[in-house]
């Protein structure tokens, strides 16, 4: 390994350990000893291994540092599952299913992450999915069926031998690839996927649209970097903010494009922009999302509450002597953004470490 890489890891490790041990209330002596031990390990092997406590706090810090996340008030509640000891793909899949059941918790969603072997360790894996639960998308002659954002991954799954019913809400399989091996796919056990059928509190015909979404967003394709160590497979989840589903997934014209359908159901005048039919349809669709999740006992947050929580997070961080970074364009909600406090703020979007980062798709 090039010396520059080793020097960089050493530098990142020392910075992370110093910060983490301080936050965990450990003594300077303990931090110093641990840093010395890690420096030696890096010198001898080019890398080092986190203790469980370091992994746990590092994963939480990475959430706290994520500039695009409005839900960071809860960073310290993250449950961290250590899966660095997996044997093979089957073992990895069963850890993932356990994570999914824990997180779903019959609807009372618990934020969690499962961390698989680091990039320098044996048995490292990649998860091909963008999210653990996601709907397939098919580019058919009649047009796109399902989720357009899944078209490439769906084709990759079909190439691996996965077959489906071709509906607009087919749950994709889990695809795991061990280093240097062929990818393997696994159907998600039914009990790991909670689904919410959408209904509207006033409009009884809304459920005839047969819309639905899954309960838990599990991001599976980002890498986690803690103190210079990269974990390529570290799927994590929180709960949804309603607008992610109602103002993006189901309403973007290049996703499920449901605003015209909802407008028709409510008989809004779609012949002119000035009727604001899109805005009215957005509101009804988002009311349906929040109503349905609540009705089915599934955790969800509306964008006003989430924005208030974000401002509380900033205060809380201030209280701990830390500043908050954030990316304004991601933190403002896609509906009525100027009605939230975040709109009126300016934010520094410097990227900090530990961090969750994008990585190239393996397929
Ligand atoms: N926006 C993504 C989606 O709609 C999910 C991103 C993570 N969201 C979350 N609430 N943790 O599926």
């Amino acid at each position: 390994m090039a010396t520059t890489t080793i020097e960089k890891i050493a530098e990142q490790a020392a910075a992370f350990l110093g910060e983490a041990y301080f936050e965990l209330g450990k003594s300077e002596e303990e931090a110093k000893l641990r840093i010395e031990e890690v420096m030696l390990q890096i010198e001898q092997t080019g890398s080092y291994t986190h203790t469980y406590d370091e992994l746990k706090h590092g994963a939480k810090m990475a959430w706290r540092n994520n500039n695009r996340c409005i839900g960071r008030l809860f960073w310290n509640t993250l449950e961290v599952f250590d899966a660095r000891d997996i044997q093979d793909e089957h073992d990895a899949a069963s850890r993932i299913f356990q994570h999914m059941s824990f997180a779903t918790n019959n609807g009372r969603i618990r934020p969690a992450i499962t961390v698989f072997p680091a990039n320098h360790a044996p048995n490292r894996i990649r998860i091909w999915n963008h999210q653990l639960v996601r709907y397939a998308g098919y580019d058919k002659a009649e047009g796109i069926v399902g989720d357009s954002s899944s078209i490439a991954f769906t084709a990759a799954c079909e190439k691996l031998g996965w077959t489906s019913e071709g509906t607009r809400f087919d749950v994709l399989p889990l695809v795991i690839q061990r280093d240097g091996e062929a990818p393997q796919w696994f159907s998600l056990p039914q009990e790991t996927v909670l689904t919410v059928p959408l209904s509207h509190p006033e409009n009884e015909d809304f459920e005839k649209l047969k819309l639905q979404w899954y309960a838990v967003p599990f991001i599976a394709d980002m890498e986690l970097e803690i103190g210079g160590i990269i974990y390529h497979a570290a799927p994590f989840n929180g709960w949804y903010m309603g607008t992610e589903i109602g103002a993006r997934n189901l309403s973007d014209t290049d996703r499920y494009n449901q605003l015209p359908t909802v407008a028709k159901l409510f008989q809004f005048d779609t012949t002119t922009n000035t009727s604001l039919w899109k805005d009215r349809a957005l509101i009804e669709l988002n009311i349906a999302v929040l109503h349905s999740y609540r009705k089915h006992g599934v955790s969800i947050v509306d964008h006003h509450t989430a924005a208030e929580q974000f401002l509380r997070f900033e205060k809380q961080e201030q209280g701990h002597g830390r500043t908050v970074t954030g990316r304004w364009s991601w933190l403002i909600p896609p509906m009525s953004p100027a009605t939230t406090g975040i709109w009126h703020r300016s934010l520094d979007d410097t990227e900090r470490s530990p961090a969750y980062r994008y990585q190239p798709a393996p397929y």
Side-chain angles (χ1 to χ4, degrees), residues 297-339:
V298 175
S299 311
I300 194 159
V301 64
D302 67 82
H303 50 294
H304 301 289
T305 306
E308 287 165 16
Q309 289 170 343
F310 181 78
L311 298 177
R312 265 169 60 203
F313 164 65
E314 276 195 308
K315 280 228 175 73
Q316 179 178 285
E317 286 300 292
Q318 247 169 34
H320 286 100
R322 295 187 291 260
T323 56
V324 166
T325 56
R327 190 175 304 176
W328 188 87
S329 62
W330 270 69
L331 293 171
I332 54 162
M335 249 177 96
S336 319
T339 64

Side-chain angles (χ1 to χ4, degrees), residues 158-170:
E158 286 174 330
K159 229 172 141 186
L160 295 176
W162 175 75
T163 55
S164 66
E165 290 171 25
T167 75
R168 55 182 182 157
F169 294 115
D170 293 338

Side-chain angles (χ1 to χ4, degrees), residues 48 154 157 204 208 210 294 346:
Y48 71 105
T154 304
C157 293
E204 281 174 16
K208 291 191 188 142
K210 296 244 175 292
R294 297 201 66 160
S346 73

Side-chain angles (χ1 to χ4, degrees), residues 184-206:
Q184 295 199 19
W185 65 270
F186 304 83
S187 301
L188 299 181
Q190 217 188 323
E191 69 274 11
T192 61
V193 185
L194 186 59
T195 301
V196 181
L198 300 190
S199 59
H200 188 281
E202 288 121 33
N203 190 321
E204 281 174 16
D205 288 336
F206 194 95

Side-chain angles (χ1 to χ4, degrees), residues 219-354:
I219 302 294
D221 58 356
M222 293 181 87
E223 63 179 37
L224 165 62
E225 179 260 317
I226 302 174
I229 300 296
I230 292 176
Y231 298 95
H232 287 298
F236 59 83
N237 76 279
W239 50 78
Y240 265 117
M241 177 164 85
T243 55
E244 297 183 84
I245 303 163
R248 300 300 310 279
N249 301 343
L250 293 177
S251 57
D252 275 2
T253 50
D254 61 355
R255 295 288 298 286
Y256 280 83
N257 191 25
Q258 291 300 305
L259 295 185
T261 317
V262 173
K264 202 168 153 215
L265 178 73
F266 282 84
Q267 297 179 324
F268 298 144
D269 177 6
T270 57
T271 63
T272 168
N273 282 332
T274 56
S275 70
L276 299 187
W277 65 267
K278 286 186 192 172
D279 310 68
R280 297 183 73 184
L282 253 184
I283 289 172
E284 299 305 343
L285 178 53
N286 279 274
I287 286 173
V289 168
L290 292 170
H291 165 80
S292 310
Y293 275 62
R294 297 201 66 160
K295 183 173 144 192
H296 286 84
V298 175
S299 311
I300 194 159
V301 64
D302 67 82
H303 50 294
H304 301 289
T305 306
E308 287 165 16
Q309 289 170 343
F310 181 78
L311 298 177
R312 265 169 60 203
F313 164 65
E314 276 195 308
K315 280 228 175 73
Q316 179 178 285
E317 286 300 292
Q318 247 169 34
H320 286 100
R322 295 187 291 260
T323 56
V324 166
T325 56
R327 190 175 304 176
W328 188 87
S329 62
W330 270 69
L331 293 171
I332 54 162
M335 249 177 96
S336 319
T339 64
T340 69
I342 303 175
W343 177 270
H344 309 277
R345 295 287 327 279
S346 73
L347 290 152
D348 164 14
D349 87 343
T350 309
E351 303 233 346
R352 291 176 175 163
S353 165

